[in-house]
Amino acid sequence: MKKRVTLSFPRHSVQMPVTYRLAKDFNIAANIIRAQVAPNQVGKLVLELLGDIDEIHEAIEWMRSQEINVSIASGSIEIDENRCVDCGLCTGVCPTQALTLDPETFRLQFTRSRCIVCEQCVPTCPVQAISTNF
């Protein structure tokens, strides 16, 4: 089973090797989608967890017991076509090429099946036409 989660670490837990512990203790593969972690600062990590459903639930409970805030991501990226000016800035930060510009019309195209909801496009949009729907 796959499950996408967002982890928020308090300052004292930032240096904990969470992905290593997920693999070693819970037999879970953790694909890091986005990370904002620095020593002595609050950290944020977006992971895609792959493993047995029961082991994933145990791992989530363990992370919560370590004072790591775990949010289950179930949303998607939404694009307000009335606001979008088709500038293409979001296409440069999209790691999966879910956002592209049509080579003929130069209009933004969104391939939802490629989107991993990493949210890198959200702050990049100068007209705030991209948001997450959680």
Side-chain angles (χ1 to χ4, degrees):
M1 169 179 201
K2 283 185 183 178
K3 191 169 282 241
R4 180 161 305 143
V5 297
T6 301
L7 309 179
S8 297
F9 296 84
R11 291 177 188 225
H12 64 276
S13 297
V14 166
Q15 300 207 17
M16 182 185 306
V18 174
T19 55
Y20 169 78
R21 296 286 306 268
L22 291 174
K24 181 180 176 282
D25 298 344
F26 300 97
N27 197 30
I28 293 175
N31 180 24
I32 299 172
I33 295 172
R34 186 174 180 193
Q36 293 176 312
V37 181
N40 299 317
Q41 293 183 12
V42 174
K44 184 176 179 180
L45 193 62
V46 179
L47 298 174
E48 184 176 71
L49 304 176
L50 178 63
D52 180 75
I53 181 93
D54 294 328
E55 290 173 333
I56 289 175
H57 287 297
E58 286 178 32
I60 290 171
E61 290 307 311
W62 170 78
M63 289 185 283
R64 288 181 174 149
S65 75
Q66 301 300 308
E67 299 180 25
I68 298 170
N69 183 15
V70 181
S71 301
I72 309 298
S74 60
S76 62
I77 294 293
E78 299 295 325
I79 300 173
D80 184 342
E81 293 181 15
N82 294 324
R83 243 184 203 181
C84 179
V85 294
D86 302 302
C87 67
L89 288 174
C90 56
T91 65
V93 297
C94 182
T96 63
Q97 296 182 339
L99 295 165
T100 57
L101 285 179
D102 183 297
E104 293 178 17
T105 64
F106 296 104
R107 298 214 24 116
L108 183 67
Q109 293 181 320
F110 179 47
T111 308
R112 191 170 301 278
S113 62
R114 287 185 173 178
C115 182
I116 59 172
V117 196
C118 67
E119 301 179 43
Q120 292 186 42
C121 56
V122 176
T124 304
C125 182
V127 294
Q128 299 174 341
I130 304 174
S131 61
T132 50
N133 178 17
F134 285 103

